[in-house]
Amino acid sequence: MMPLAIQEAQPSPVLEGLNDIVVPEPVSLVPQTLGWAVVAVAVIALLAVGALLAWRRHRKNAYRRAALALVDTTPLSALPALVKRVALAAAPRPEVAALTGEAWLAFLDRTYGGSGFTNGPGKALASLSFDPGAADEQSAAALRHLVAHWIRRHRV
């Protein structure tokens, strides 16, 4: 038998009509219209304004965070002074500094929207500086809770 001769590969006429695969250009991430650019700038501006307002609110409420950290560690007899300092940090001095007794308790109730100071455990706050025995253990815990609630919620 005769060895088979190796034939040269000749291009097939079917394959000659095919073209190479063309890869499209990558899609640009830059907006194609001016409207999307305006929307992007507006969103960035809104985010910046929101961050600025959040930062200002955080700084403005620093006195609240400091006072809340002291509520549980402050001696009961010093609690009225702490509440007065917080009120002076939040409200105009002439409006708050001279308040005492029932007017002081009414101010506290008015600024947080409750009645815990004039009709609840906060009543002891008016006399606690002069009489440390004005509140027992149970009412002292309720008073501390009320003061913490007032610090968190008051609006002047």
Side-chain angles (χ1 to χ4, degrees), residues 34-116:
L34 181 62
W36 284 111
V38 170
V39 168
V41 168
V43 166
I44 290 170
L46 285 174
L47 289 174
V49 168
L52 177 67
L53 291 176
W55 178 70
R56 286 178 60 196
R57 186 175 337 127
H58 180 75
R59 283 190 52 211
K60 183 180 173 185
N61 287 323
Y63 76 95
R64 290 181 198 259
R65 290 188 302 278
L68 284 170
L70 293 174
V71 168
D72 290 330
T73 59
T74 300
L76 206 55
S77 61
L79 203 56
L82 175 66
V83 173
K84 186 69 108 170
R85 286 188 356 231
V86 170
L88 286 171
R93 187 171 195 83
E95 183 181 329
V96 175
L99 293 176
T100 59
E102 290 297 320
W104 169 240
L105 297 177
F107 168 82
L108 294 174
D109 279 343
R110 186 175 65 252
T111 55
Y112 91 104
S115 62

